[in-house]
Amino acid sequence: MFKTIKKDLPASIVVFFVALPLCLGIALASGAPLFSGLIAGIVGGIVVGALSGSNIGVSGPAAGLAAIVLTAIGALGGYQNFLVAVVLGGVIQLLFGVLRAGIIGYYFPSSVIKGMLTGIGIIIILKQIPHFFGYDADPEGDFAFFQVDGENTFSDLFRTLKFITPGSAIIGIVGLAILILWEKVLSKKAKIFQLIQGPLVVVVVGIVFYILTQSNETLSIAKTHLVSVPVPEDSASFFAQFSFPNFSAITNPDIWVVAFTIALVASLETLLCVEATDKLDPHKNVTPTNRELLAQGTGNIISGLIGGLPITQVIVRSSANIQSGGVSKMSAIIHGFFLLISVIVIPTLLNMIPLSVLAAILLLVGYKLAKPSTFKQMFSLGWKQWVPFTATILGIVFVDLLWGIGLGLGVGIVVILIKSFQNSHFLHIEDKSNGKHRIKMTLAEEVTFFNKGAILKELDSLPRDTYLELDVTKTRYLDNDIIEILEDFAFKATERNIDIQLISERGTVENPESFIDFFKLRPKTA
């Protein structure tokens, strides 16, 4: 891992600047103490990063859990009671890992995963535009369509036009210009521009701009438009920011319900992120999903024990890591140490960073996830890929991440059923002689009850006086429902003067008396 430090260190700095506002914003959107988001980010980086089998995945507090956390804190009677649910959720995740539930992650269609990445890219762009122009009513990390400030994604964009902060907007535009220049031009000129990442330069420029314009009425940036890390007065007040679970509430059944919900949602988000980051990874590493669940479970136990929010692997931080050239888990671990050291040593300096500068960094991350070329590529693959891809994006943008994934998966299943209906058999007329149609129907390799409608429709549409060749030579699985349809058809065929020739590996049978008896020789197989 240390062999790649030249690439991982610059990437970890970028991930740090992406993670910092998100940790604070998600805590604010969750109704939890701000420091709880930082704890989750630190544990997600150091602990989960060290235990995970992913080279490029980065974990921390997840926007997808914010609504669950917000509701649970009130319902369970306080934050310390909620922390019990976080710890128990981690234990349940460990159980998921032991039971090898990580295999679920492999069953999400590629179109849905690509839709998830693109949808997250779009929602990052839409959510960061207000912060980019200095309108910070909605906290960073609130990625749901209906926001905690009472607005929605698009109404917030319109309100931004009325509340543009000149200083924030200017440094945001300057920062974005520097990022683009750094990536497109400077990084190709000299190695120094590859070692020093553009986001670090942009953050330094943002701090300098804030300091120089403090006395300027037009360009000064108010504290409400800056990063807001808790600043302890001394070591005692620093440690006072940690919260601890109230384990006396463990007998409350509601806590167990919340714990299972956290474990289920956090595991699902993690597995989806793992699948997505593996697709983005230029080295195409495959993350062991069961080990990832064990790592996430351990992280949630530790985070809950010291007052942190629930943790998942997060696509925004992970994609920023990949885009910045991170190649090993050292990037995630180092970013966790950066979070830890910075909140202890330089919280005052962090609180001079304009949110619009960090928004500029996230805008670039979002664009790389939702490039126009991705839409073009998915459209060229045909409607079977395009429809689930689009459905996933719409669900993410207009509801939230989990709804988007669920919608995309549901549409994907419908597409599979439609294609299964269409491809259950092949039908063509060979010739017409002696007053009879000669038709050959070839059944597919696997025929299940999903194909009942298609096969039944074709059999019923056969005209009288037909000679039907039914070829099951290549069929390896034949559902009993289909056998029963063939049995019923054989009875009707005599009334319609339809002769049947059954072609199989065992030979040819003319007008079989019983399909059931024939296929019983090899149950559900032909």
Side-chain angles (χ1 to χ4, degrees), residues 29-259:
S30 302
L34 288 181
F35 197 66
S36 66
L38 295 170
I39 293 172
I42 293 166
V43 173
I46 299 173
V47 177
V48 179
L51 297 176
S52 171
S54 174
N55 288 336
I56 35 76
V58 183
S59 298
L65 287 169
I68 295 172
V69 174
L70 181 64
T71 304
I73 292 173
L76 298 180
Y79 190 65
Q80 290 182 321
N81 291 348
F82 169 73
L83 291 176
V84 179
V86 177
V87 174
L88 293 176
V91 173
I92 295 171
Q93 280 187 294
L94 290 179
L95 184 60
F96 286 166
V98 171
L99 295 176
R100 308 185 71 80
I103 195 173
I104 295 171
Y106 298 125
Y107 289 94
F108 288 90
S110 175
S111 58
V112 174
I113 297 299
K114 290 178 181 177
M116 180 185 80
L117 290 169
T118 305
I120 290 173
I122 292 172
I123 204 68
I124 288 173
I125 293 170
L126 294 175
K127 293 291 187 179
Q128 291 305 315
I129 288 174
H131 298 294
F132 183 77
F133 289 105
Y135 179 56
D136 301 303
D138 190 50
E140 290 272 12
D142 182 9
F143 288 165
F145 181 73
F146 295 104
Q147 300 176 168
V148 295
D149 66 343
E151 299 292 330
N152 63 53
T153 302
F154 294 105
S155 68
D156 208 42
L157 291 174
F158 289 115
R159 284 183 65 82
T160 300
L161 298 174
K162 301 177 182 179
F163 297 97
I164 293 176
T165 303
S168 294
I170 289 171
I171 193 57
I173 294 169
V174 170
L176 186 59
I178 292 173
L179 289 170
I180 295 172
L181 179 68
W182 206 273
E183 181 174 323
K184 298 295 183 182
V185 180
L186 297 180
S187 63
K188 299 173 183 177
K189 296 290 185 181
K191 288 187 177 180
I192 186 66
F193 296 114
Q194 296 173 7
L195 183 62
I196 300 174
Q197 290 284 311
L200 176 59
V201 176
V202 168
V203 168
V204 172
V205 170
I207 293 173
V208 172
F209 179 86
Y210 166 73
I211 294 172
L212 294 178
T213 59
Q214 277 184 300
S215 59
N216 188 301
E217 292 185 5
T218 304
L219 299 180
S220 62
I221 302 175
K223 289 185 178 181
T224 53
H225 303 304
L226 303 172
V227 170
S228 181
V229 176
V231 181
E233 296 178 0
D234 50 38
S235 59
S237 59
F238 173 76
F239 287 107
Q241 296 179 99
F242 291 87
S243 302
F244 304 98
N246 174 26
F247 283 109
S248 63
I250 199 169
T251 55
N252 183 350
D254 291 338
I255 284 180
W256 286 88
V257 172
V258 172

Side-chain angles (χ1 to χ4, degrees), residues 478-490 502 506 512-525:
L478 195 63
D479 201 307
N480 190 66
D481 288 41
I482 307 302
I483 297 174
E484 290 182 358
I485 286 175
L486 296 175
E487 185 77 7
D488 293 341
F489 174 72
L502 180 62
R506 297 195 298 272
E513 294 183 2
S514 172
F515 281 90
I516 292 177
D517 291 340
F518 180 83
F519 287 112
K520 273 182 180 178
L521 295 173
R522 286 193 298 164
K524 291 190 176 183
T525 307

Side-chain angles (χ1 to χ4, degrees), residues 249-460:
I250 199 169
T251 55
N252 183 350
D254 291 338
I255 284 180
W256 286 88
V257 172
V258 172
F260 186 79
T261 303
I262 289 172
L264 191 62
V265 175
S267 298
L268 181 58
E269 284 204 22
T270 292
L271 293 174
L272 288 167
C273 183
V274 164
E275 186 74 7
T277 51
D278 283 353
K279 286 187 181 298
L280 291 174
D281 184 4
H283 301 287
K284 301 303 176 187
N285 293 297
V286 177
T287 301
T289 52
N290 294 312
R291 177 176 170 180
E292 189 64 33
L293 289 178
L294 294 173
Q296 296 291 333
T298 304
N300 274 316
I301 291 171
I302 295 174
S303 182
L305 286 174
I306 59 177
L309 290 173
I311 294 168
T312 74
Q313 191 177 123
V314 190
I315 192 62
V316 179
R317 272 156 270 194
S318 300
S319 58
N321 187 29
I322 296 167
Q323 293 169 13
S324 304
V327 293
S328 83
K329 61 170 64 180
M330 284 304 298
S331 176
I333 296 171
I334 294 171
H335 118 275
F337 278 110
F338 279 151
L339 283 173
L340 175 61
I341 295 168
S342 64
V343 298
I344 296 174
V345 179
I346 55 168
T348 304
L349 182 63
L350 293 178
N351 289 343
M352 296 180 183
I353 303 174
L355 288 174
S356 60
V357 166
L358 299 179
I361 298 172
L362 283 165
L363 282 173
L364 210 56
V365 171
Y367 173 77
K368 289 179 179 179
L369 285 172
K371 287 183 177 179
S373 59
T374 305
F375 289 88
K376 183 179 179 180
Q377 177 196 20
M378 294 305 295
F379 186 78
S380 68
L381 292 175
W383 72 272
K384 296 188 293 296
Q385 295 293 310
W386 173 254
V387 173
F389 170 79
T390 307
T392 305
I393 293 173
L394 292 175
I396 290 172
V397 172
F398 287 99
V399 188
D400 60 26
L401 176 62
L402 290 178
W403 272 96
I405 292 295
L407 179 61
L409 187 60
V411 171
I413 291 172
V414 171
V415 170
I416 290 171
L417 294 179
I418 292 172
K419 296 308 296 180
S420 178
F421 177 91
Q422 293 175 342
N423 297 332
S424 60
H425 62 285
F426 301 94
L427 183 65
H428 61 274
I429 299 173
E430 290 189 343
D431 61 43
K432 185 176 182 181
S433 60
N434 298 324
K436 278 196 173 185
H437 292 285
R438 188 177 184 88
I439 296 175
K440 183 176 182 179
M441 181 185 293
T442 304
L443 294 187
E445 188 172 343
E446 292 188 8
V447 188
T448 69
F449 70 92
F450 290 130
N451 309 125
K452 285 171 62 176
I455 294 175
L456 188 60
K457 177 183 176 182
E458 296 294 353
L459 290 174
D460 284 346

